[in-house]
Amino acid sequence: QVQLVESGGGLVQPGGSLRLSCAVSSSTPTTYAMGWFRQAPGKEREFLAAVRWSIGDTYYEDSIRGRFTISRDTAAKKVDLFMRVLEPSDTAVYYCAAKRYSGSLAPPYDYWGQGTQVTVAS
């Protein structure tokens, strides 16, 4: 079983930056892939990025590549999503997710956090 708790959301001005964190509670995180998703009002949940816990390889969707960076801290047992040059269209609830790694970082994912709101507005 994996428990995920996101933090770091809030209100940020356009062009600004924000770092989201996901605390991971698991006895075997090395076997997992960790992902970040977001869901804007009226839209489907969108896959953004993922990282393999064991060796740190990453994947990014084209929509956020170059602006968002995913990283994991194995000692602190957390996964971060650093977001820069934020736009109003980045406003959404951001979710951390996990799954047992089976050769791909792509969805679907099995375990979810409760989400953290990010609002980009002036």
Side-chain angles (χ1 to χ4, degrees), residues 13-58:
Q13 292 188 343
S17 301
L18 202 62
R19 181 182 298 274
L20 306 181
S21 286
C22 174
V24 181
S25 173
S26 169
S27 60
T28 57
T30 54
T31 62
Y32 285 89
M34 306 298 301
W36 280 97
F37 293 72
R38 68 184 178 189
Q39 188 166 19
K43 294 189 177 181
E44 294 187 354
R45 191 169 294 187
E46 176 188 12
F47 175 55
L48 300 175
V51 60
R52 185 164 34 156
W53 191 275
S54 58
I55 65 171
D57 53 325
T58 57

Side-chain angles (χ1 to χ4, degrees), residues 6-10 20-21 36 92-96 113-119:
E6 301 98 334
S7 62
L20 306 181
S21 286
W36 280 97
V93 178
Y94 284 71
Y95 296 91
C96 177
Q114 81 288 351
T116 186
Q117 176 71 46
V118 172
T119 302

Side-chain angles (χ1 to χ4, degrees), residues 32-105:
Y32 285 89
M34 306 298 301
W36 280 97
F37 293 72
R38 68 184 178 189
Q39 188 166 19
K43 294 189 177 181
E44 294 187 354
R45 191 169 294 187
E46 176 188 12
F47 175 55
L48 300 175
V51 60
R52 185 164 34 156
W53 191 275
S54 58
I55 65 171
D57 53 325
T58 57
Y59 172 83
Y60 296 93
E61 286 288 293
D62 288 343
S63 59
I64 54 88
R65 190 187 307 271
R67 291 195 302 126
F68 291 10
T69 302
I70 190 170
S71 61
R72 93 269 190 252
D73 184 331
T74 57
K77 280 193 172 182
K78 68 185 183 86
V79 177
D80 286 355
L81 184 70
F82 178 69
M83 308 182 292
R84 64 184 189 90
V85 197
L86 285 163
E87 305 164 353
S89 58
D90 294 314
T91 295
V93 178
Y94 284 71
Y95 296 91
C96 177
K99 66 170 182 176
R100 289 196 182 275
Y101 183 75
S102 58
S104 172
L105 293 173

